[in-house]
Coordinates of all heavy atoms in Angstrom, one line a residue:
M698 N 0.8 -1.2 0.0 CA 0.0 0.0 0.0 C 0.8 1.3 0.0 O 1.9 1.3 0.7 CB -0.9 0.0 1.3 CG -2.0 0.9 1.2 SD -3.2 0.7 2.6 CE -2.8 2.3 3.4
S699 N 0.4 2.2 -0.7 CA 1.2 3.5 -0.9 C 1.2 4.2 0.5 O 0.1 4.3 1.1 CB 0.6 4.3 -1.9 OG 0.5 3.7 -3.2
E700 N 2.3 4.8 0.8 CA 2.4 5.6 2.0 C 2.5 7.1 1.6 O 3.4 7.5 0.9 CB 3.6 5.3 2.8 CG 3.7 6.2 4.1 CD 5.1 5.9 4.8 OE1 6.0 5.3 4.2 OE2 5.2 6.4 5.9
F701 N 1.5 7.9 2.0 CA 1.5 9.3 1.6 C 2.2 10.2 2.7 O 1.8 10.0 3.9 CB 0.1 9.8 1.3 CG -0.4 9.4 0.0 CD1 -1.0 8.2 -0.2 CD2 -0.2 10.3 -1.1 CE1 -1.5 7.8 -1.5 CE2 -0.6 9.8 -2.4 CZ -1.2 8.6 -2.6
I702 N 3.1 10.9 2.4 CA 3.9 11.7 3.3 C 3.6 13.1 3.1 O 3.8 13.7 2.0 CB 5.4 11.4 3.1 CG1 5.7 9.9 3.3 CG2 6.3 12.3 4.0 CD1 7.1 9.5 3.1
P703 N 3.2 13.8 4.2 CA 2.9 15.3 4.2 C 4.1 16.0 3.8 O 5.3 15.8 4.5 CB 2.3 15.6 5.5 CG 2.2 14.3 6.2 CD 3.0 13.3 5.5
V704 N 4.1 17.0 2.9 CA 5.3 17.7 2.4 C 5.2 19.2 2.5 O 6.2 19.8 2.8 CB 5.8 17.3 1.1 CG1 6.4 15.8 1.2 CG2 4.7 17.3 0.0
L705 N 4.0 19.7 2.2 CA 3.9 21.2 2.1 C 2.5 21.6 2.2 O 1.5 20.9 1.6 CB 4.4 21.6 0.7 CG 4.7 23.1 0.5 CD1 5.9 23.6 1.3 CD2 4.9 23.5 -1.0
E706 N 2.3 22.7 2.8 CA 0.9 23.4 2.8 C 0.5 23.9 1.4 O 1.4 24.5 0.8 CB 0.7 24.4 3.7 CG 0.7 23.9 5.2 CD 0.3 24.9 6.2 OE1 -0.1 26.0 5.9 OE2 0.5 24.7 7.4
L707 N -0.7 23.6 0.9 CA -1.1 24.0 -0.4 C -0.9 25.6 -0.6 O -0.5 26.1 -1.7 CB -2.5 23.6 -0.7 CG -3.1 24.0 -2.1 CD1 -2.3 23.4 -3.2 CD2 -4.5 23.6 -2.1
Q708 N -1.2 26.3 0.4 CA -1.1 27.8 0.4 C 0.3 28.3 0.1 O 0.5 29.4 -0.2 CB -1.8 28.4 1.6 CG -1.0 28.2 2.9 CD -1.6 29.0 4.0 OE1 -2.7 29.4 3.9 NE2 -0.8 29.1 5.1
A709 N 1.3 27.4 0.4 CA 2.7 27.8 0.1 C 3.1 27.6 -1.3 O 4.2 28.0 -1.6 CB 3.6 27.0 1.1
L710 N 2.2 27.1 -2.2 CA 2.5 26.7 -3.5 C 1.7 27.6 -4.4 O 0.6 27.3 -4.7 CB 2.4 25.3 -3.7 CG 2.9 24.6 -5.1 CD1 4.5 24.8 -5.1 CD2 2.5 23.2 -5.2
A711 N 2.2 28.7 -4.9 CA 1.4 29.7 -5.6 C 1.0 29.0 -7.0 O 1.7 28.1 -7.5 CB 2.2 30.9 -5.9
P712 N -0.1 29.5 -7.6 CA -0.5 28.9 -8.9 C 0.6 29.2 -9.9 O 1.3 30.2 -9.9 CB -1.7 29.8 -9.3 CG -2.3 30.2 -7.9 CD -1.1 30.4 -7.0
E713 N 0.8 28.2 -10.7 CA 1.8 28.1 -11.8 C 3.2 28.3 -11.3 O 4.0 29.0 -11.8 CB 1.5 29.1 -12.9 CG 0.1 29.1 -13.4 CD -0.3 27.7 -14.0 OE1 0.4 27.1 -14.6 OE2 -1.4 27.3 -13.7
S714 N 3.4 27.6 -10.1 CA 4.8 27.6 -9.5 C 5.2 26.2 -9.2 O 4.4 25.3 -9.2 CB 4.9 28.6 -8.4 OG 4.3 28.0 -7.2
S715 N 6.4 26.1 -8.6 CA 6.9 24.8 -8.2 C 7.7 24.9 -7.0 O 8.2 26.0 -6.6 CB 7.8 24.1 -9.4 OG 8.9 24.8 -9.5
Q716 N 7.8 23.8 -6.3 CA 8.7 23.8 -5.1 C 9.3 22.4 -5.0 O 8.6 21.4 -5.0 CB 7.8 24.0 -3.8 CG 8.4 23.9 -2.5 CD 9.5 24.9 -2.3 OE1 9.2 26.1 -2.5 NE2 10.7 24.5 -1.8
M717 N 10.6 22.3 -4.8 CA 11.3 21.1 -4.6 C 11.1 20.6 -3.1 O 11.3 21.4 -2.2 CB 12.8 21.2 -4.9 CG 13.4 19.9 -5.2 SD 13.8 19.0 -3.8 CE 15.3 19.8 -3.2
V718 N 10.8 19.3 -2.9 CA 10.8 18.8 -1.5 C 11.5 17.4 -1.6 O 11.6 16.8 -2.8 CB 9.3 18.5 -1.1 CG1 8.6 19.8 -1.0 CG2 8.6 17.5 -2.1
E719 N 12.0 17.0 -0.5 CA 12.6 15.7 -0.5 C 11.7 14.6 0.2 O 11.2 14.9 1.2 CB 14.0 15.8 0.2 CG 14.9 14.7 -0.1 CD 16.3 14.9 0.4 OE1 16.9 16.0 0.3 OE2 16.8 13.9 1.2
V720 N 11.5 13.6 -0.5 CA 10.6 12.5 0.2 C 11.4 11.2 0.1 O 11.6 10.6 -1.0 CB 9.4 12.4 -0.7 CG1 8.4 11.4 0.0 CG2 8.7 13.7 -0.9
K721 N 11.7 10.7 1.3 CA 12.4 9.4 1.3 C 13.6 9.4 0.5 O 14.0 8.4 -0.2 CB 11.5 8.3 1.0 CG 10.4 7.9 1.9 CD 9.6 6.7 1.5 CE 8.6 6.3 2.5 NZ 7.8 5.1 2.0
G722 N 14.4 10.5 0.5 CA 15.6 10.6 -0.3 C 15.5 10.9 -1.7 O 16.4 11.1 -2.4
C723 N 14.2 11.0 -2.2 CA 14.0 11.5 -3.6 C 13.7 13.0 -3.7 O 13.0 13.5 -2.9 CB 12.7 10.8 -4.2 SG 12.8 9.0 -4.3
E724 N 14.3 13.6 -4.8 CA 14.0 15.0 -5.0 C 12.8 15.0 -5.9 O 12.8 14.6 -7.0 CB 15.2 15.6 -5.8 CG 16.2 16.1 -4.9 CD 17.2 17.1 -5.6 OE1 16.9 17.5 -6.8 OE2 18.3 17.4 -5.1
V725 N 11.7 15.5 -5.3 CA 10.5 15.5 -6.0 C 10.1 17.0 -6.2 O 10.2 17.9 -5.3 CB 9.3 14.9 -5.1 CG1 7.9 15.1 -5.6 CG2 9.7 13.5 -4.8
L726 N 9.6 17.4 -7.4 CA 9.1 18.7 -7.7 C 7.6 18.8 -7.6 O 6.9 18.1 -8.4 CB 9.7 19.1 -9.1 CG 9.6 20.6 -9.3 CD1 10.5 21.4 -8.3 CD2 10.0 20.9 -10.8
L727 N 7.2 19.6 -6.7 CA 5.7 19.8 -6.7 C 5.4 20.9 -7.6 O 6.1 22.0 -7.6 CB 5.2 20.2 -5.3 CG 5.5 19.3 -4.1 CD1 5.0 19.9 -2.7 CD2 4.7 17.9 -4.4
C728 N 4.4 20.7 -8.4 CA 4.0 21.8 -9.4 C 2.4 22.0 -9.3 O 1.6 21.1 -9.2 CB 4.3 21.3 -10.8 SG 6.0 20.9 -11.0
H729 N 2.2 23.4 -9.2 CA 0.7 23.8 -9.1 C 0.3 24.4 -10.4 O 0.8 25.5 -10.7 CB 0.7 24.8 -7.9 CG -0.7 25.0 -7.4 ND1 -0.9 26.0 -6.5 CD2 -1.9 24.5 -7.9 CE1 -2.3 26.0 -6.2 NE2 -2.9 25.1 -7.1
S730 N -0.6 23.7 -11.2 CA -0.9 24.3 -12.5 C -2.3 24.0 -12.7 O -2.8 22.8 -12.5 CB 0.0 23.7 -13.5 OG -0.3 24.3 -14.7
G731 N -3.1 25.0 -13.2 CA -4.5 24.8 -13.6 C -5.3 24.3 -12.4 O -6.3 23.7 -12.6
G732 N -5.0 24.6 -11.2 CA -5.8 24.2 -10.1 C -5.4 22.9 -9.5 O -6.0 22.4 -8.5
D733 N -4.5 22.1 -10.3 CA -4.1 20.8 -9.7 C -2.7 20.8 -9.2 O -1.9 21.7 -9.6 CB -4.2 19.8 -10.8 CG -5.7 19.4 -11.2 OD1 -6.4 19.2 -10.3 OD2 -5.9 19.2 -12.4
V734 N -2.4 19.9 -8.3 CA -1.0 19.7 -7.9 C -0.5 18.4 -8.4 O -1.1 17.4 -8.3 CB -1.0 19.7 -6.3 CG1 0.5 19.6 -5.8 CG2 -1.6 21.0 -5.7
F735 N 0.8 18.5 -8.9 CA 1.4 17.4 -9.5 C 2.7 17.2 -8.8 O 3.3 18.1 -8.3 CB 1.7 17.6 -11.0 CG 0.4 17.9 -11.8 CD1 0.1 19.2 -12.0 CD2 -0.4 17.0 -12.3 CE1 -1.1 19.6 -12.7 CE2 -1.5 17.2 -13.0 CZ -1.8 18.5 -13.2
A736 N 3.2 15.9 -8.9 CA 4.6 15.7 -8.3 C 5.4 14.9 -9.4 O 4.9 13.9 -9.7 CB 4.5 15.0 -7.0
V737 N 6.5 15.4 -9.7 CA 7.4 14.8 -10.7 C 8.8 14.7 -10.3 O 9.2 15.5 -9.3 CB 7.3 15.5 -12.1 CG1 6.0 15.5 -12.7 CG2 7.9 16.9 -12.0
A738 N 9.6 13.9 -10.9 CA 11.1 13.9 -10.5 C 11.6 15.2 -10.9 O 11.3 15.8 -11.9 CB 11.8 12.7 -11.4
N739 N 12.6 15.7 -10.2 CA 13.2 17.0 -10.4 C 14.4 17.0 -11.4 O 15.1 18.0 -11.4 CB 13.7 17.6 -9.0 CG 14.0 19.0 -9.0 OD1 13.5 19.8 -9.8 ND2 14.9 19.4 -8.2
R740 N 14.5 15.9 -12.1 CA 15.6 15.9 -13.1 C 15.1 15.7 -14.5 O 14.4 14.7 -14.7 CB 16.6 14.7 -12.8 CG 17.2 14.9 -11.5 CD 18.6 15.6 -11.6 NE 19.2 15.8 -10.3 CZ 20.3 16.5 -10.1 NH1 20.9 17.1 -11.2 NH2 20.8 16.7 -9.0
C741 N 15.5 16.6 -15.4 CA 15.1 16.4 -16.9 C 15.7 15.0 -17.3 O 16.8 14.7 -17.0 CB 15.7 17.6 -17.6 SG 15.3 17.6 -19.3
T742 N 14.9 14.4 -18.2 CA 15.5 13.2 -18.7 C 16.3 13.4 -20.0 O 16.8 12.4 -20.6 CB 14.2 12.2 -19.2 OG1 13.4 12.9 -20.1 CG2 13.4 11.9 -18.0
H743 N 16.6 14.6 -20.4 CA 17.5 14.9 -21.5 C 18.9 14.9 -21.0 O 19.7 13.9 -21.2 CB 17.1 16.2 -22.1 CG 18.1 16.5 -23.2 ND1 18.6 17.7 -23.4 CD2 18.6 15.8 -24.3 CE1 19.4 17.8 -24.5 NE2 19.4 16.6 -25.0
Q744 N 19.3 15.9 -20.2 CA 20.7 15.9 -19.6 C 20.7 16.1 -18.2 O 21.6 16.8 -17.7 CB 21.5 17.0 -20.4 CG 21.8 16.5 -21.8 CD 22.7 17.5 -22.6 OE1 23.1 18.5 -22.1 NE2 23.1 17.1 -23.8
Q745 N 19.7 15.7 -17.5 CA 19.7 15.6 -16.0 C 19.7 17.1 -15.4 O 20.1 17.2 -14.2 CB 20.9 14.8 -15.5 CG 20.9 13.3 -16.1 CD 19.6 12.6 -15.8 OE1 19.1 12.6 -14.6 NE2 19.0 12.1 -16.8
Q746 N 19.3 18.0 -16.1 CA 19.2 19.4 -15.5 C 18.1 19.3 -14.4 O 17.1 18.6 -14.6 CB 18.8 20.4 -16.6 CG 18.4 21.7 -16.2 CD 19.5 22.6 -15.7 OE1 20.6 22.3 -16.0 NE2 19.1 23.6 -14.8
L747 N 18.3 20.1 -13.3 CA 17.2 20.3 -12.4 C 16.1 21.1 -13.0 O 16.3 22.1 -13.7 CB 17.7 21.1 -11.2 CG 18.8 20.4 -10.3 CD1 19.2 21.4 -9.2 CD2 18.2 19.2 -9.6
L748 N 14.9 20.5 -12.9 CA 13.7 21.3 -13.4 C 13.2 22.3 -12.5 O 12.4 23.2 -13.0 CB 12.6 20.2 -13.6 CG 12.8 19.2 -14.8 CD1 11.8 18.2 -14.8 CD2 12.9 19.9 -16.1
D749 N 13.6 22.3 -11.3 CA 13.2 23.4 -10.4 C 13.5 24.7 -11.1 O 14.6 25.0 -11.5 CB 14.2 23.3 -9.1 CG 13.6 23.9 -7.9 OD1 12.5 24.6 -8.0 OD2 14.2 23.9 -6.9
G750 N 12.5 25.6 -11.0 CA 12.6 26.9 -11.6 C 12.1 26.9 -13.0 O 12.1 28.1 -13.6
G751 N 11.8 25.8 -13.6 CA 11.3 25.8 -15.0 C 9.9 26.4 -15.1 O 9.2 26.4 -14.1
R752 N 9.7 27.0 -16.2 CA 8.3 27.7 -16.4 C 7.2 26.6 -16.4 O 7.3 25.6 -17.1 CB 8.4 28.4 -17.7 CG 7.2 29.2 -18.2 CD 7.5 29.8 -19.5 NE 6.2 29.8 -20.2 CZ 5.6 31.0 -20.5 NH1 6.1 32.1 -20.1 NH2 4.4 31.0 -21.2
I753 N 6.1 27.0 -15.7 CA 5.0 26.1 -15.7 C 3.8 26.8 -16.3 O 3.4 28.0 -15.9 CB 4.7 25.8 -14.1 CG1 5.8 24.9 -13.6 CG2 3.4 25.0 -14.1 CD1 5.7 24.6 -12.2
R754 N 3.1 26.1 -17.3 CA 2.0 26.7 -17.9 C 1.1 25.5 -18.4 O 1.6 24.6 -19.0 CB 2.4 27.5 -19.1 CG 3.0 28.8 -18.9 CD 2.1 29.9 -18.3 NE 2.8 31.1 -18.0 CZ 3.4 31.4 -17.0 NH1 3.7 30.5 -16.0 NH2 4.1 32.6 -16.8
R755 N -0.2 25.6 -18.1 CA -1.1 24.7 -18.6 C -0.8 23.2 -18.5 O -0.8 22.5 -19.5 CB -1.5 25.1 -20.1 CG -2.0 26.4 -20.3 CD -2.6 26.5 -21.6 NE -3.0 27.9 -21.9 CZ -2.2 28.8 -22.6 NH1 -1.1 28.5 -23.1 NH2 -2.7 30.0 -22.8
G756 N -0.4 22.8 -17.3 CA -0.1 21.4 -17.0 C 1.2 20.9 -17.6 O 1.4 19.7 -17.7
H757 N 2.1 21.8 -17.8 CA 3.4 21.4 -18.4 C 4.5 22.2 -17.7 O 4.3 23.4 -17.2 CB 3.5 21.7 -19.9 CG 2.6 20.9 -20.8 ND1 1.2 21.1 -20.8 CD2 2.9 19.8 -21.5 CE1 0.7 20.1 -21.7 NE2 1.7 19.4 -22.1
I758 N 5.7 21.6 -17.7 CA 6.9 22.3 -17.1 C 7.9 22.3 -18.3 O 8.1 21.2 -19.0 CB 7.4 21.7 -15.8 CG1 8.6 22.7 -15.4 CG2 7.9 20.2 -16.0 CD1 9.0 22.2 -13.9
S759 N 8.6 23.4 -18.4 CA 9.7 23.5 -19.4 C 11.0 23.5 -18.7 O 11.3 24.1 -17.7 CB 9.6 24.9 -20.1 OG 8.3 25.1 -20.7
C760 N 11.9 22.6 -19.3 CA 13.2 22.4 -18.7 C 14.0 23.8 -18.8 O 13.9 24.3 -20.0 CB 14.0 21.3 -19.3 SG 15.7 21.2 -18.8
P761 N 14.7 24.3 -17.8 CA 15.4 25.6 -17.9 C 16.5 25.5 -18.9 O 16.9 26.6 -19.4 CB 15.8 25.9 -16.5 CG 15.1 25.0 -15.6 CD 14.6 23.8 -16.4
L762 N 17.1 24.3 -19.2 CA 18.3 24.3 -20.0 C 18.1 24.3 -21.5 O 18.5 25.2 -22.2 CB 19.1 23.0 -19.6 CG 20.5 23.0 -20.2 CD1 21.3 24.2 -19.8 CD2 21.4 21.7 -19.7
H763 N 17.3 23.4 -22.0 CA 17.0 23.3 -23.5 C 15.5 23.4 -23.8 O 15.2 23.3 -25.0 CB 17.6 22.1 -24.1 CG 19.0 21.8 -23.8 ND1 19.4 20.7 -23.0 CD2 20.1 22.5 -24.1 CE1 20.7 20.8 -22.9 NE2 21.2 21.8 -23.5
G764 N 14.7 23.6 -22.8 CA 13.3 23.9 -23.1 C 12.4 22.8 -23.4 O 11.3 23.0 -23.8
V765 N 12.8 21.5 -23.2 CA 11.8 20.4 -23.4 C 10.6 20.6 -22.5 O 10.8 20.9 -21.3 CB 12.5 19.0 -23.2 CG1 11.4 18.0 -23.0 CG2 13.5 18.7 -24.2
R766 N 9.5 20.4 -23.0 CA 8.2 20.6 -22.2 C 7.8 19.1 -21.8 O 7.7 18.3 -22.6 CB 7.1 21.3 -22.9 CG 7.4 22.7 -23.1 CD 6.4 23.3 -24.1 NE 5.1 23.4 -23.3 CZ 3.9 23.3 -23.9 NH1 3.8 23.1 -25.1 NH2 2.8 23.5 -23.1
F767 N 7.4 19.0 -20.5 CA 6.9 17.8 -20.0 C 5.5 17.9 -19.6 O 5.2 18.9 -18.8 CB 7.7 17.2 -18.9 CG 9.2 16.9 -19.2 CD1 10.1 17.8 -19.1 CD2 9.5 15.6 -19.6 CE1 11.5 17.4 -19.4 CE2 10.8 15.2 -20.0 CZ 11.8 16.1 -19.9
N768 N 4.6 17.0 -19.8 CA 3.3 16.8 -19.3 C 3.3 16.6 -17.8 O 3.9 15.5 -17.5 CB 2.5 15.8 -20.1 CG 1.0 15.8 -19.6 OD1 0.7 15.6 -18.4 ND2 0.1 15.9 -20.7
L769 N 2.8 17.4 -17.0 CA 3.0 17.1 -15.5 C 2.2 16.0 -15.1 O 2.4 15.3 -14.0 CB 2.6 18.4 -14.8 CG 3.5 19.6 -14.8 CD1 2.9 20.9 -14.3 CD2 4.9 19.3 -14.1
R770 N 1.1 15.6 -15.8 CA 0.2 14.5 -15.4 C 0.8 13.1 -15.8 O 0.8 12.2 -15.0 CB -1.2 14.6 -16.0 CG -2.2 13.7 -15.4 CD -3.6 14.0 -16.0 NE -4.1 15.4 -15.7 CZ -4.7 15.8 -14.6 NH1 -4.8 14.9 -13.6 NH2 -5.0 17.0 -14.5
T771 N 1.4 13.1 -17.0 CA 1.9 11.8 -17.5 C 3.4 11.7 -17.5 O 3.9 10.6 -17.7 CB 1.4 11.6 -18.9 OG1 2.0 12.6 -19.8 CG2 -0.1 11.8 -19.1
G772 N 4.1 12.9 -17.4 CA 5.5 12.8 -17.5 C 6.1 12.8 -18.9 O 7.3 13.0 -19.2
E773 N 5.1 12.7 -20.0 CA 5.6 12.5 -21.3 C 6.2 13.9 -21.8 O 5.7 14.9 -21.6 CB 4.4 12.3 -22.2 CG 3.9 10.9 -22.2 CD 4.9 9.8 -22.5 OE1 5.6 10.1 -23.5 OE2 4.9 8.8 -21.9
P774 N 7.4 13.7 -22.5 CA 8.1 14.9 -23.1 C 7.5 15.3 -24.4 O 6.9 14.4 -25.1 CB 9.5 14.4 -23.2 CG 9.4 12.9 -23.5 CD 8.1 12.5 -22.7
M775 N 7.6 16.5 -24.9 CA 7.3 17.0 -26.2 C 8.5 17.3 -27.0 O 9.6 17.8 -26.3 CB 6.4 18.1 -26.1 CG 5.1 17.9 -25.3 SD 4.1 19.3 -25.1 CE 3.5 19.7 -26.7
G776 N 8.6 17.1 -28.2 CA 9.8 17.5 -29.0 C 10.7 16.4 -29.2 O 10.3 15.2 -28.9
Q777 N 11.9 16.6 -29.8 CA 12.8 15.5 -30.2 C 14.0 15.3 -29.3 O 14.7 14.3 -29.4 CB 13.4 16.0 -31.6 CG 12.4 16.2 -32.6 CD 11.5 15.0 -33.0 OE1 12.0 14.0 -33.1 NE2 10.2 15.3 -33.0
L778 N 14.2 16.1 -28.3 CA 15.5 15.9 -27.5 C 15.4 14.7 -26.6 O 16.5 14.1 -26.4 CB 15.7 17.2 -26.7 CG 16.1 18.5 -27.4 CD1 16.4 19.6 -26.5 CD2 17.3 18.3 -28.4
T779 N 14.3 14.3 -26.0 CA 14.2 13.1 -25.3 C 12.9 12.4 -25.5 O 11.9 13.2 -25.7 CB 14.4 13.5 -23.7 OG1 14.3 12.1 -23.0 CG2 13.5 14.4 -23.2
R780 N 12.8 11.2 -25.4 CA 11.6 10.5 -25.4 C 11.3 9.8 -24.1 O 10.3 9.0 -24.0 CB 11.6 9.4 -26.6 CG 11.9 10.1 -27.9 CD 11.4 9.2 -29.1 NE 11.7 9.8 -30.4 CZ 10.9 10.6 -31.0 NH1 9.7 10.7 -30.5 NH2 11.2 11.2 -32.1
V781 N 12.1 10.1 -23.1 CA 11.9 9.4 -21.8 C 11.1 10.2 -20.9 O 11.4 11.4 -20.7 CB 13.3 9.2 -21.2 CG1 13.2 8.5 -19.8 CG2 14.3 8.4 -22.1
P782 N 10.0 9.7 -20.5 CA 9.1 10.4 -19.6 C 9.7 10.7 -18.3 O 10.5 10.0 -17.8 CB 7.8 9.6 -19.5 CG 8.3 8.2 -19.9 CD 9.4 8.3 -20.7
L783 N 9.3 11.7 -17.6 CA 9.6 12.0 -16.2 C 8.8 11.0 -15.3 O 7.7 10.7 -15.6 CB 9.1 13.4 -15.8 CG 9.8 14.6 -16.2 CD1 9.1 15.9 -15.6 CD2 11.2 14.6 -15.7
A784 N 9.5 10.6 -14.2 CA 8.7 9.9 -13.2 C 7.8 10.8 -12.6 O 8.0 12.0 -12.4 CB 9.7 9.5 -12.1
T785 N 6.5 10.3 -12.4 CA 5.5 11.1 -11.7 C 5.1 10.3 -10.5 O 5.2 9.0 -10.3 CB 4.2 11.2 -12.6 OG1 3.8 9.9 -12.9 CG2 4.6 11.9 -13.9
Y786 N 4.6 11.0 -9.5 CA 4.3 10.4 -8.2 C 2.8 10.8 -7.9 O 2.3 11.8 -8.3 CB 5.2 11.0 -7.0 CG 6.7 10.8 -7.4 CD1 7.5 11.8 -7.8 CD2 7.2 9.5 -7.3 CE1 8.7 11.6 -8.2 CE2 8.5 9.3 -7.6 CZ 9.4 10.3 -8.0 OH 10.7 10.1 -8.4
D787 N 2.2 9.9 -7.0 CA 0.8 10.2 -6.6 C 0.8 11.3 -5.6 O 1.7 11.3 -4.7 CB 0.3 9.0 -6.0 CG 0.0 7.9 -7.1 OD1 -0.2 8.2 -8.3 OD2 -0.1 6.6 -6.7
V788 N -0.2 12.2 -5.7 CA -0.4 13.3 -4.8 C -1.8 13.3 -4.1 O -2.8 12.9 -4.8 CB -0.3 14.6 -5.6 CG1 -0.4 15.8 -4.7 CG2 1.1 14.7 -6.2
Q789 N -1.9 13.7 -2.9 CA -3.1 13.9 -2.3 C -3.1 15.2 -1.7 O -2.1 15.7 -1.1 CB -3.4 12.9 -1.2 CG -3.7 11.5 -1.5 CD -4.0 10.6 -0.4 OE1 -3.6 10.9 0.8 NE2 -4.6 9.5 -0.6
V790 N -4.2 16.0 -1.7 CA -4.4 17.2 -0.9 C -5.5 17.0 0.0 O -6.6 16.9 -0.4 CB -4.5 18.4 -1.9 CG1 -4.7 19.8 -1.0 CG2 -3.4 18.5 -2.9
V791 N -5.2 17.1 1.3 CA -6.2 16.9 2.3 C -6.1 18.0 3.3 O -5.1 18.2 3.9 CB -6.1 15.5 3.0 CG1 -7.1 15.3 4.2 CG2 -6.2 14.3 2.0
E792 N -7.3 18.6 3.4 CA -7.3 19.8 4.4 C -6.2 20.8 4.3 O -5.5 21.2 5.3 CB -7.4 19.3 5.8 CG -8.7 18.6 6.1 CD -8.8 18.0 7.5 OE1 -7.9 18.1 8.3 OE2 -9.9 17.3 7.8
G793 N -5.9 21.1 3.0 CA -4.8 22.1 2.7 C -3.4 21.6 2.8 O -2.4 22.4 2.6
M794 N -3.2 20.3 3.0 CA -1.9 19.8 3.1 C -1.6 18.8 1.9 O -2.4 17.9 1.6 CB -1.7 19.0 4.4 CG -0.4 18.3 4.6 SD 1.1 19.4 4.6 CE 0.8 20.2 6.2
I795 N -0.4 19.0 1.3 CA -0.1 18.2 0.1 C 0.7 17.1 0.6 O 1.7 17.2 1.4 CB 0.8 19.0 -0.9 CG1 0.1 20.3 -1.3 CG2 1.2 18.1 -2.1 CD1 1.0 21.3 -2.1
S796 N 0.4 15.8 0.2 CA 1.1 14.6 0.6 C 1.5 13.9 -0.7 O 0.8 14.0 -1.7 CB 0.3 13.7 1.4 OG -0.1 14.4 2.6
V797 N 2.6 13.2 -0.7 CA 3.1 12.6 -1.8 C 3.6 11.2 -1.5 O 4.0 10.9 -0.4 CB 4.4 13.3 -2.4 CG1 5.1 12.6 -3.5 CG2 4.1 14.7 -2.9
S798 N 3.3 10.3 -2.4 CA 3.7 8.9 -2.3 C 4.9 8.6 -3.3 O 4.6 8.8 -4.5 CB 2.6 7.9 -2.5 OG 3.1 6.6 -2.5
V799 N 6.1 8.1 -2.9 CA 7.1 7.8 -3.8 C 7.3 6.2 -3.9 O 8.2 5.8 -4.5 CB 8.4 8.4 -3.5 CG1 8.3 9.9 -3.6 CG2 8.9 8.1 -2.2
D800 N 6.3 5.5 -3.4 CA 6.4 4.0 -3.3 C 6.2 3.5 -4.8 O 5.4 4.1 -5.5 CB 5.4 3.4 -2.3 CG 5.7 3.9 -0.9 OD1 7.0 4.2 -0.6 OD2 4.9 4.0 -0.1
Ligands
LIG1322 S1 18.6 19.1 -20.0 FE1 16.5 19.5 -20.0 S2 16.0 19.9 -22.1 FE2 18.2 19.4 -22.1

């Protein structure tokens, strides 16, 4: 069974922004877009750039280095630079607290 670990209050994550958190030794990037909260691996699958700080729009994050866009829900990349999806993690928001499972 998945274990959800509380990581951040929702009010601390502005719309269309991200915040890196560490969960069981994994660097997880929380992203708030279009009213939903997503959790993805914080490393681009092209050249391992940190995604933290990448632009977030309409359910996607753009890598700060070469601009590959990843779908935050599925992890799927767009364009030719990489075909490897980002790892995505399950998220729950309960009473204003974001919890993530990395199991
Ligand atoms: S390292 Fe992310 S697009 Fe190249």
Side-chain angles (χ1 to χ4, degrees):
M698 198 175 109
S699 306
E700 181 189 10
F701 282 86
I702 299 179
V704 287
L705 190 72
E706 290 191 9
L707 180 59
Q708 67 175 13
L710 192 60
E713 309 306 317
S714 77
S715 65
Q716 172 70 47
M717 199 282 285
V718 294
E719 202 173 305
V720 184
K721 291 186 175 178
C723 294
E724 275 195 10
V725 174
L726 194 64
L727 298 177
C728 301
H729 193 181
S730 186
D733 285 322
V734 178
F735 305 93
V737 297
N739 191 27
R740 295 271 174 186
C741 181
T742 61
H743 177 224
Q744 290 183 355
Q745 305 303 308
Q746 166 74 23
L747 290 175
L748 289 173
D749 199 358
R752 179 182 148 109
I753 295 178
R754 288 291 181 276
R755 298 193 186 99
H757 293 75
I758 186 167
S759 303
C760 176
L762 193 54
H763 308 113
V765 168
R766 293 173 71 216
F767 293 91
N768 182 308
L769 290 169
R770 191 175 301 280
T771 65
E773 287 295 325
M775 299 171 71
Q777 303 300 318
L778 292 183
T779 176
R780 300 197 182 272
V781 180
L783 283 181
T785 61
Y786 304 103
D787 291 335
V788 177
Q789 284 182 345
V790 182
V791 178
E792 294 180 359
M794 176 62 71
I795 303 167
S796 299
V797 174
S798 169
V799 296
D800 298 331

